[in-house]
Amino acid sequence: MELLVATHNQHKKEEIQQILQGLFEVKSLTDYDIHDEIIEDGHTFHENALIKAKYCFDKTGIPSLGDDSGLVVDALDGRPGIYSARYASNHDFPKNISKVLEELGNNTNRSAYFVTVLCYYSIEGPKYYEGRVYGNLLSENKGKQGFGYDPVFVPEGYELTFAEMEPEHKNRISHRKKALDAFLADMEQ
Ligand code: ITT
């Protein structure tokens, strides 16, 4: 079955493709020549995931999967949250990490979680799936893999950051993997 992944973020698309390989014929926005900027003006992860998935479904008629994700930091009252991609500067990962680390300073409470909310939009309308992974933030970057806040995030029970793990390893335990597992379980019913 064809599934359109409604993201302009190449890293996200590759992670979703790797996790869903063999199960869906995963298409990207480029496959459908969609280069429009999708305005994410929702106030929650759910609203933004819906905006992305609905936009792509309305445009193509292909069942579409929107992924809205972010980093939620306890000591920062949940920031950057839905603003994770543009916290300091739009999709400038090093600047966004620096802003979070500056705001945290020497705070000993380093706990944070990544969340992914998926919206699957088909002829039947929207359905939502969520995945979270809890962990702690370092005070400096470690590792080169992954994207976004991966170099400062160490998942609970591990000593490595997501950016130090092989992509296959991150994709077995991540927030995105958990949300996709919930999606797959629902599809199998
Ligand atoms: P699309 O809207 O086109 O899907 P985006 O990058 O703008 O791409 P989001 O609005 O969901 O996506 O923003 C998510 C941001 O949160 C992303 O840019 C990263 O900074 C961060 N993020 C999300 N998932 C992450 C992950 O698995 N590892 C590290 N950072 C992540």
Side-chain angles (χ1 to χ4, degrees), residues 7-9 12 40 52 69 91 147 150 170 175-176:
T7 179
H8 287 297
N9 180 325
K12 257 189 196 178
E40 291 173 41
K52 298 181 217 192
S69 315
H91 290 94
F147 69 102
D150 282 345
K170 177 187 172 189
H175 44 305
R176 190 157 289 108

Side-chain angles (χ1 to χ4, degrees), residues 6-9 12 15 40 52 67-71 81-82 84-86 91 93 96 114-116 147-150 162 170 174-176:
T7 179
H8 287 297
N9 180 325
K12 257 189 196 178
E15 289 189 1
E40 291 173 41
K52 298 181 217 192
D67 166 323
D68 203 59
S69 315
L71 180 72
I82 60 165
S84 292
R86 50 195 146 116
H91 290 94
F93 298 143
N96 291 339
F114 274 125
V115 58
T116 290
F147 69 102
Y149 299 89
D150 282 345
F162 266 164
K170 177 187 172 189
S174 76
H175 44 305
R176 190 157 289 108

Side-chain angles (χ1 to χ4, degrees), residues 14 28 40-41 43 49 66 88 91 98 114 120 132 181 185:
E14 282 167 12
S28 68
E40 291 173 41
D41 54 4
H43 297 101
H91 290 94
S98 296
F114 274 125
Y120 174 70
R132 290 184 183 191
D181 278 350

Side-chain angles (χ1 to χ4, degrees), residues 31-161:
D31 292 328
Y32 282 88
D33 220 17
I34 300 175
H35 304 283
D36 325 353
E37 191 194 344
I38 304 170
I39 308 293
E40 291 173 41
D41 54 4
H43 297 101
T44 61
F45 290 109
H46 285 76
E47 284 176 16
N48 283 333
L50 171 67
I51 288 169
K52 298 181 217 192
K54 186 173 186 315
Y55 184 93
C56 293
F57 178 75
D58 286 348
K59 209 147 181 170
T60 62
I62 307 289
S64 299
L65 196 64
D67 166 323
D68 203 59
S69 315
L71 180 72
V72 178
V73 182
D74 287 354
L76 301 183
D77 298 325
R79 295 191 308 278
I82 60 165
Y83 304 107
S84 292
R86 50 195 146 116
Y87 197 44
S89 178
N90 205 5
H91 290 94
D92 185 328
F93 298 143
K95 276 199 186 147
N96 291 339
I97 290 178
S98 296
K99 181 167 175 186
V100 167
L101 294 185
E102 263 166 41
E103 287 188 345
L104 260 182
N106 292 327
N107 200 318
T108 50
N109 177 5
R110 316 293 297 181
S111 66
Y113 65 88
F114 274 125
V115 58
T116 290
V117 173
L118 297 174
C119 175
Y120 174 70
Y121 204 102
S122 69
I123 192 88
E124 290 167 18
K127 281 186 167 190
Y128 298 92
Y129 310 93
E130 184 172 326
R132 290 184 183 191
V133 63
Y134 290 87
N136 285 287
L137 297 180
L138 301 180
S139 21
E140 56 185 38
N141 291 359
K142 278 195 180 164
K144 300 269 179 240
Q145 311 266 18
F147 69 102
Y149 299 89
D150 282 345
V152 287
F153 184 83
V154 179
E156 252 168 33
Y158 295 85
E159 309 249 305
L160 301 176
T161 66

